[in-house]
Amino acid sequence: MSKLHLVFGGRVRDPQGLDFVDLNQIHLVGVYPNYAEAVDAWRANAQRTVDDAEMKYVVVHLHRLLEPELGEKA
């Protein structure tokens, strides 16, 4: 199975948390076939919004959600 990664971002209530203010305004950057490409996409978007402390982009390890029994081996 591919090690899929999702990159998305949006405005958060607290810059240290993941409580997104408006789920309808989430920016879905994309799904990537490996972590390196996902990090590149994350970095590009995070740097673009670096001056806005309430904007946050994250990388989600979709492969871990799809096959949690594999744990850290996946």
Side-chain angles (χ1 to χ4, degrees):
M1 182 177 98
S2 298
K3 292 186 178 181
L4 298 174
H5 296 80
L6 168 66
V7 179
F8 71 92
R11 189 161 303 283
V12 291
R13 296 187 197 285
D14 176 358
Q16 294 182 345
L18 290 173
D19 185 14
F20 289 91
V21 174
D22 185 356
L23 296 180
N24 291 319
Q25 296 297 315
I26 292 291
H27 176 211
L28 295 175
V29 178
V31 176
Y32 299 88
N34 58 59
Y35 185 70
E37 288 184 41
V39 167
D40 287 345
W42 165 83
R43 184 174 287 115
N45 284 277
Q47 287 178 346
R48 185 175 49 78
T49 60
V50 71
D51 292 331
D52 187 348
E54 294 176 342
M55 286 297 290
K56 186 172 210 168
Y57 282 85
V58 296
V59 175
V60 178
H61 301 268
L62 291 179
H63 61 279
R64 291 184 185 167
L65 296 174
L66 296 171
E67 292 189 301
E69 67 278 359
L70 296 178
E72 293 299 316
K73 294 177 185 176

